[in-house]
Short mmCIF file of all heavy atoms in Angstrom, two decimals:
data_model
loop_
_atom_site.label_atom_id
_atom_site.label_comp_id
_atom_site.label_asym_id
_atom_site.label_seq_id
_atom_site.Cartn_x
_atom_site.Cartn_y
_atom_site.Cartn_z
N LYS A 49 134.49 105.42 64.44
CA LYS A 49 135.57 106.07 65.19
C LYS A 49 136.86 105.25 65.19
O LYS A 49 137.94 105.80 65.06
CB LYS A 49 135.10 106.30 66.62
CG LYS A 49 135.96 107.24 67.42
CD LYS A 49 135.28 107.59 68.73
CE LYS A 49 136.06 108.62 69.49
NZ LYS A 49 135.40 109.00 70.73
N TYR A 50 136.75 103.92 65.32
CA TYR A 50 137.93 103.09 65.49
C TYR A 50 138.17 102.11 64.35
O TYR A 50 139.17 101.39 64.37
CB TYR A 50 137.84 102.31 66.81
CG TYR A 50 137.68 103.22 68.01
CD1 TYR A 50 136.48 103.28 68.71
CD2 TYR A 50 138.72 104.04 68.43
CE1 TYR A 50 136.32 104.12 69.80
CE2 TYR A 50 138.58 104.89 69.52
CZ TYR A 50 137.38 104.92 70.19
OH TYR A 50 137.23 105.75 71.25
N GLY A 51 137.26 102.03 63.41
CA GLY A 51 137.42 101.10 62.30
C GLY A 51 137.14 99.66 62.67
O GLY A 51 137.28 98.76 61.86
N THR A 52 136.75 99.43 63.88
CA THR A 52 136.41 98.09 64.36
C THR A 52 135.37 98.23 65.46
O THR A 52 135.14 99.32 65.97
CB THR A 52 137.65 97.35 64.89
OG1 THR A 52 137.28 96.03 65.25
CG2 THR A 52 138.27 98.06 66.09
N ASN A 53 134.79 97.13 65.83
CA ASN A 53 133.82 97.15 66.90
C ASN A 53 134.21 96.09 67.92
O ASN A 53 134.09 94.90 67.66
CB ASN A 53 132.42 96.90 66.36
CG ASN A 53 131.40 96.94 67.45
OD1 ASN A 53 131.69 97.36 68.55
ND2 ASN A 53 130.21 96.48 67.16
N ASN A 54 134.66 96.51 69.08
CA ASN A 54 135.08 95.59 70.12
C ASN A 54 134.05 95.45 71.23
O ASN A 54 134.31 94.81 72.24
CB ASN A 54 136.41 96.04 70.73
CG ASN A 54 137.53 95.96 69.71
OD1 ASN A 54 137.53 95.07 68.87
ND2 ASN A 54 138.46 96.89 69.77
N ILE A 55 132.90 96.07 71.06
CA ILE A 55 131.88 96.03 72.09
C ILE A 55 131.11 94.71 71.98
O ILE A 55 130.65 94.34 70.92
CB ILE A 55 130.92 97.22 71.96
CG1 ILE A 55 131.69 98.52 72.15
CG2 ILE A 55 129.79 97.11 72.97
CD1 ILE A 55 130.86 99.75 71.91
N LYS A 56 130.99 94.04 73.10
CA LYS A 56 130.24 92.80 73.14
C LYS A 56 128.95 93.05 73.93
O LYS A 56 128.99 93.28 75.13
CB LYS A 56 131.06 91.71 73.80
CG LYS A 56 132.29 91.34 73.02
CD LYS A 56 133.17 90.39 73.80
CE LYS A 56 134.42 90.03 73.04
NZ LYS A 56 135.35 91.12 72.87
N CYS A 57 127.83 93.04 73.22
CA CYS A 57 126.56 93.23 73.90
C CYS A 57 125.51 92.31 73.28
O CYS A 57 125.75 91.69 72.26
CB CYS A 57 126.12 94.69 73.83
SG CYS A 57 125.62 95.24 72.21
N ASN A 58 124.33 92.30 73.90
CA ASN A 58 123.28 91.39 73.48
C ASN A 58 122.23 92.03 72.59
O ASN A 58 121.23 91.41 72.29
CB ASN A 58 122.58 90.80 74.71
CG ASN A 58 123.53 89.98 75.54
OD1 ASN A 58 124.46 89.38 75.02
ND2 ASN A 58 123.33 89.97 76.84
N TYR A 59 122.42 93.27 72.19
CA TYR A 59 121.47 93.97 71.32
C TYR A 59 120.05 93.86 71.86
O TYR A 59 119.26 93.04 71.40
CB TYR A 59 121.50 93.42 69.89
CG TYR A 59 122.82 93.57 69.21
CD1 TYR A 59 123.67 92.48 69.09
CD2 TYR A 59 123.23 94.79 68.70
CE1 TYR A 59 124.90 92.60 68.47
CE2 TYR A 59 124.46 94.93 68.08
CZ TYR A 59 125.28 93.83 67.97
OH TYR A 59 126.49 93.97 67.37
N ILE A 60 119.71 94.67 72.80
CA ILE A 60 118.37 94.64 73.38
C ILE A 60 117.36 95.03 72.31
O ILE A 60 117.50 96.06 71.65
CB ILE A 60 118.28 95.60 74.58
CG1 ILE A 60 119.20 95.10 75.69
CG2 ILE A 60 116.85 95.72 75.07
CD1 ILE A 60 119.34 96.02 76.85
N PRO A 61 116.34 94.23 72.11
CA PRO A 61 115.36 94.53 71.07
C PRO A 61 114.49 95.72 71.42
O PRO A 61 114.21 95.96 72.58
CB PRO A 61 114.52 93.25 70.98
CG PRO A 61 114.68 92.62 72.31
CD PRO A 61 116.05 92.99 72.81
N ARG A 62 114.07 96.45 70.43
CA ARG A 62 113.18 97.60 70.63
C ARG A 62 111.73 97.16 70.72
O ARG A 62 110.89 97.88 71.24
CB ARG A 62 113.33 98.56 69.47
CG ARG A 62 114.65 99.28 69.49
CD ARG A 62 114.31 100.68 69.52
NE ARG A 62 115.36 101.61 69.36
CZ ARG A 62 115.47 102.62 70.18
NH1 ARG A 62 114.67 102.73 71.19
NH2 ARG A 62 116.39 103.51 69.98
N SER A 63 111.43 96.02 70.19
CA SER A 63 110.07 95.51 70.27
C SER A 63 110.12 93.99 70.34
O SER A 63 111.15 93.39 70.07
CB SER A 63 109.26 95.96 69.05
OG SER A 63 109.82 95.40 67.87
N ILE A 64 109.01 93.42 70.72
CA ILE A 64 108.93 91.97 70.76
C ILE A 64 107.77 91.54 69.87
O ILE A 64 106.74 92.21 69.81
CB ILE A 64 108.77 91.44 72.20
CG1 ILE A 64 107.62 92.16 72.92
CG2 ILE A 64 110.03 91.59 72.99
CD1 ILE A 64 107.36 91.65 74.32
N PRO A 65 107.96 90.43 69.17
CA PRO A 65 106.88 89.97 68.28
C PRO A 65 105.74 89.37 69.10
O PRO A 65 105.87 88.29 69.66
CB PRO A 65 107.57 88.92 67.41
CG PRO A 65 108.72 88.45 68.22
CD PRO A 65 109.14 89.60 69.10
N ILE A 66 104.66 90.11 69.20
CA ILE A 66 103.50 89.64 69.94
C ILE A 66 102.25 89.91 69.12
O ILE A 66 102.20 90.84 68.33
CB ILE A 66 103.38 90.34 71.31
CG1 ILE A 66 103.52 91.84 71.15
CG2 ILE A 66 104.37 89.81 72.29
CD1 ILE A 66 103.30 92.62 72.40
N SER A 67 101.27 89.09 69.33
CA SER A 67 100.02 89.28 68.59
C SER A 67 99.16 90.32 69.30
O SER A 67 99.28 90.55 70.51
CB SER A 67 99.27 87.96 68.49
OG SER A 67 98.77 87.59 69.76
N LYS A 68 98.29 90.91 68.52
CA LYS A 68 97.36 91.89 69.09
C LYS A 68 96.43 91.24 70.09
O LYS A 68 95.98 91.88 71.04
CB LYS A 68 96.58 92.57 67.97
CG LYS A 68 97.43 93.49 67.12
CD LYS A 68 96.62 94.17 66.06
CE LYS A 68 97.53 95.08 65.24
NZ LYS A 68 96.79 95.77 64.19
N GLN A 69 96.17 89.95 69.91
CA GLN A 69 95.29 89.24 70.82
C GLN A 69 95.92 89.12 72.21
O GLN A 69 95.24 89.25 73.22
CB GLN A 69 94.95 87.85 70.27
CG GLN A 69 93.93 87.09 71.11
CD GLN A 69 92.61 87.83 71.24
OE1 GLN A 69 92.08 88.36 70.26
NE2 GLN A 69 92.08 87.89 72.45
N VAL A 70 97.24 88.88 72.27
CA VAL A 70 97.93 88.80 73.55
C VAL A 70 97.85 90.14 74.28
O VAL A 70 97.56 90.20 75.48
CB VAL A 70 99.40 88.36 73.36
CG1 VAL A 70 100.17 88.47 74.66
CG2 VAL A 70 99.48 86.96 72.81
N ILE A 71 98.07 91.22 73.55
CA ILE A 71 97.97 92.56 74.14
C ILE A 71 96.56 92.81 74.64
O ILE A 71 96.34 93.31 75.75
CB ILE A 71 98.40 93.64 73.12
CG1 ILE A 71 99.88 93.49 72.79
CG2 ILE A 71 98.11 95.03 73.67
CD1 ILE A 71 100.36 94.39 71.69
N LYS A 72 95.57 92.43 73.84
CA LYS A 72 94.17 92.62 74.22
C LYS A 72 93.84 91.80 75.47
O LYS A 72 93.16 92.30 76.38
CB LYS A 72 93.24 92.24 73.08
CG LYS A 72 91.79 92.56 73.35
CD LYS A 72 90.93 92.24 72.15
CE LYS A 72 89.48 92.54 72.35
NZ LYS A 72 88.92 92.39 73.65
#
Side-chain angles (χ1 to χ4, degrees):
K49 194 170 185 178
Y50 303 109
T52 184
N53 181 12
N54 294 326
I55 298 174
K56 295 172 181 68
C57 70
N58 298 329
Y59 299 103
I60 295 173
R62 289 237 188 228
S63 64
I64 51 177
I66 49 175
S67 70
K68 290 182 180 180
Q69 185 59 45
V70 172
I71 294 173
K72 187 177 181 327

